[in-house]
Amino acid sequence: MDYLPLFFDLKGQSCLLVGGGDVAQRKALLLERAGAIITVVSPEINAELAVLVESSGGELIRGDYQSGLLDNKVLVVAATDNPVVNQQVHQDATGNNLPVNVVDSPELCTFIFPAIVDRSPLMVAVSSGGKSPVLARLLRARLETLIPAYYGQLSEMAGRFRGKVKAKFKTIRQRRAFWEQMFQGPIAEKMISGNPRSAELMMEQALSDEVSDEPAVGEVYLVGAGPGDPELLTFKALRLMQQADVVLYDRLVSPEIVDLCRRDSDRIYVGKERSNHAVPQEDINELLARLALEGKRVLRLKGGDPFIFGRGGEELETLAAQGVPFQVVPGITAASACSSYSGIPLTHRDYAQSVKFITGQLKNRTSDLNWPELVHPNQTIVFYMGLHRLQHICTQMIAHGKPEETPVALVQAGSTPQQKVLIGTLETINEKLKETPLSPPTLTIVGEVVNLHEKLAWFNEAVKSDNHALMTAEE
């Protein structure tokens, strides 16, 4: 973190703005909206800036900057095209322990102006630490479309009722649950529809209802986190991640995705590797139920999709048996992600009219599969958790009639910057794996569609280069 995001209360505070052009005017607009009293100093001051400053009770000084102008100021902005003046303002301000911003000179700034989404009193600030202001503005533009204008009114109303809510609900958990229900329920809908009076009446009614001393049963959110790329999360997954009290997450959930969960949530790692389970599955099932019965909102975050070899069904059976409510949010499964990000369509009219997802590890730790069914032509077979049994898989497929030259792709860490793709055939892939070792999570794709990899690979130029090197070595 290059800068600590803070919000200044500048109402009635004296600020110095050095510069009199268009850039200075833009900074003056922000300062004026924050309620600051602005002193502008510059040999020349444009007319619009002058009107803005005088109408807001500020002071205009047509002349050169002097260090004495810093007296009794709480914040300084330099917006000139003179590097000598900018350097002097920075030196004088830091010498007086005053926060200073020199426009377009991050090295001379002790604070920076973020790109702002203004839904006062709700404010969202986006910053690149001065490294890419244009990117920050583009992100702000996207946020502008996602944050409705009524959020400001909703925030104002919440402020008016905050004291009453605190008096009624004695615990932080109760207050948080009330506010989340208010912000996402019919009260917010009234505000959206332009009926703030009805929204306030509904708030009053909600606060007059009796509060039970018994803790309510919580809920479990079984959420698919996808293959690793945070941008592949669904909107619903992200919303539930932001409101859960406790997060139980797997080994295959990337740190970037875990970081998107609510900051103050309790996080419990329950990842499993082959022959190394941090928490046995039965204990995970019971832990989910116990936490929810304590009244907590519990996020069960699983890599990929929770219902595709994710044992999500086993967990929900336990919850259903104990009367715990739950929701399920699908995620992008590894087969879809790895195939898409490696340029291998799972189906294609010329090569495969069906696809099968197979686990390479059964409950009894065998791979006793229906091999005759898996060697039919014109289909794609995707093996999950099959890397350690790759030799067995290839041997069995060949033994049951699949041609030795059938293409095979191994995709490690699909959709992430660490993605690697190894291409071979049922006959050659094991030797290639010895030459270029991969590690779990690695998906195995078998079928003619693998031939499209070289033509359709698109993800990550560095990955493409690595793959090209691998294919060159193959040739």
Side-chain angles (χ1 to χ4, degrees):
M1 184 186 296
D2 294 330
Y3 291 87
L4 176 66
L6 298 171
F7 290 84
F8 272 91
D9 182 359
L10 293 178
K11 291 186 291 292
Q13 301 293 316
S14 295
C15 300
L16 178 65
L17 176 58
V18 183
D22 293 340
V23 175
Q25 181 184 340
R26 290 196 293 271
K27 301 306 180 187
L29 281 169
L30 291 173
L31 294 172
E32 188 272 336
R33 284 167 58 186
I37 300 172
I38 310 167
T39 297
V40 173
V41 56
S42 178
E44 297 181 1
I45 301 174
N46 74 35
E48 291 184 26
L49 175 57
V51 170
L52 172 69
V53 172
E54 290 182 327
S55 63
S56 61
E59 180 183 7
L60 300 174
I61 301 176
R62 289 180 169 83
D64 295 330
Y65 163 77
Q66 303 293 331
S67 61
L69 294 171
L70 299 177
D71 292 346
N72 301 316
K73 301 298 188 294
V74 299
L75 182 142
V76 185
V77 178
T80 83
D81 55 5
N82 188 326
V84 175
V85 172
N86 290 340
Q87 180 67 47
Q88 189 62 52
V89 172
H90 165 79
Q91 182 177 327
D92 293 343
T94 54
N96 285 275
N97 294 318
L98 289 174
V100 58
N101 175 274
V102 178
V103 177
D104 288 337
S105 298
E107 71 280 1
L108 299 180
C109 296
T110 62
F111 78 93
I112 54 179
F113 284 92
I116 297 170
V117 179
D118 188 355
R119 301 290 186 268
S120 295
L122 183 68
M123 303 288 292
V124 179
V126 180
S127 171
S128 66
K131 294 180 175 61
S132 182
V134 172
L135 181 60
R137 289 199 296 272
L138 291 173
L139 180 55
R140 181 201 64 187
R142 181 175 296 184
L143 290 173
E144 290 276 8
T145 67
L146 297 175
I147 303 175
Y150 83 90
Y151 269 30
Q153 295 174 287
L154 201 58
S155 184
E156 286 278 11
M157 185 178 73
R160 293 194 296 272
F161 281 90
R162 187 173 180 181
K164 293 182 179 180
V165 171
K166 189 172 183 179
K168 182 178 181 64
F169 300 102
K170 302 305 180 184
T171 69
I172 293 176
R173 183 182 63 80
Q174 288 176 322
R175 292 195 290 271
R176 181 184 292 134
F178 175 83
W179 284 122
E180 287 178 351
Q181 184 179 17
M182 190 274 280
F183 289 136
Q184 300 179 76
I187 295 175
E189 290 298 325
K190 286 294 183 183
M191 192 68 77
I192 295 173
S193 62
N195 198 339
R197 179 56 184 159
S198 293
E200 296 212 8
L201 289 174
M202 292 174 68
M203 277 287 288
E204 294 282 6
Q205 180 62 47
L207 291 171
S208 67
D209 294 339
E210 291 296 324
V211 179
S212 173
D213 293 331
E214 293 295 323
V217 175
E219 188 175 13
V220 173
Y221 313 134
L222 180 60
V223 173
D229 184 349
E231 291 191 345
L232 297 181
L233 286 168
T234 64
F235 287 135
K236 186 171 185 178
L238 188 58
R239 177 172 63 82
L240 296 178
M241 289 164 65
Q242 287 289 313
Q243 69 184 43
D245 302 307
V246 185
V247 179
L248 279 68
Y249 64 98
D250 279 349
R251 180 177 64 90
L252 297 181
V253 180
S254 68
E256 294 81 6
I257 289 177
V258 175
D259 284 344
L260 293 175
C261 295
R262 205 178 79 200
R263 289 291 181 187
D264 61 342
S265 62
D266 294 328
R267 300 179 184 183
I268 303 173
Y269 175 70
V270 292
K272 295 187 287 292
E273 299 180 58
R274 185 168 177 259
S275 302
N276 180 19
H277 293 192
V279 181
Q281 183 62 52
E282 294 74 15
D283 292 351
I284 295 174
N285 302 348
E286 292 298 329
L287 180 58
L288 290 170
R290 177 173 63 79
L291 291 170
L293 290 171
E294 292 174 357
K296 296 181 173 66
R297 292 162 299 178
V298 185
L299 175 71
R300 180 64 172 107
L301 199 56
K302 287 179 169 288
D305 182 277
F307 277 4
I308 298 182
F309 308 127
R311 303 181 77 169
E314 298 175 37
E315 295 174 356
L316 296 188
E317 284 182 295
T318 299
L319 300 178
Q322 299 192 35
V324 174
F326 55 82
Q327 299 184 46
V328 182
V329 181
I332 293 179
T333 189
S336 296
C338 291
S339 62
S340 297
Y341 276 62
S342 58
I344 301 173
L346 291 177
T347 63
H348 189 287
R349 287 195 299 173
D350 295 335
Y351 302 108
Q353 287 74 55
S354 65
V355 58
K356 286 185 171 67
F357 296 167
I358 309 296
T359 175
Q361 182 67 67
L362 301 183
K363 189 172 183 179
N364 59 0
R365 295 200 173 280
T366 70
S367 293
D368 189 15
L369 302 172
N370 186 349
W371 296 108
E373 181 183 294
L374 301 184
V375 299
H376 290 171
N378 302 320
Q379 66 177 350
T380 304
I381 307 298
V382 181
F383 289 93
Y384 288 67
M385 299 170 286
L387 185 63
H388 64 288
R389 291 186 175 270
L390 183 62
Q391 180 69 63
H392 179 71
I393 289 171
C394 293
T395 299
Q396 289 296 318
M397 295 194 81
I398 293 172
H400 286 82
K402 198 72 172 172
E404 295 178 347
E405 63 272 16
T406 301
V408 178
L410 302 179
V411 185
Q412 174 186 292
S415 86
T416 74
Q418 293 73 43
Q419 175 175 302
K420 293 182 180 179
V421 182
L422 186 63
I423 303 295
T425 66
L426 287 175
E427 183 180 27
T428 66
I429 192 64
N430 283 283
E431 288 302 315
K432 293 183 180 297
L433 183 61
K434 293 176 183 177
E435 298 168 4
T436 310
L438 301 179
S439 58
T442 294
L443 206 74
T444 304
I445 304 174
V446 181
E448 297 300 324
V449 290
V450 173
N451 286 325
L452 294 168
H453 162 71
E454 184 173 1
K455 182 188 298 184
L456 304 182
W458 61 271
F459 174 63
N460 192 323
E461 290 300 322
V463 171
K464 286 183 183 179
S465 299
D466 290 344
N467 293 341
H468 177 72
L470 290 172
M471 288 184 289
T472 303
E474 177 185 334
E475 294 166 358

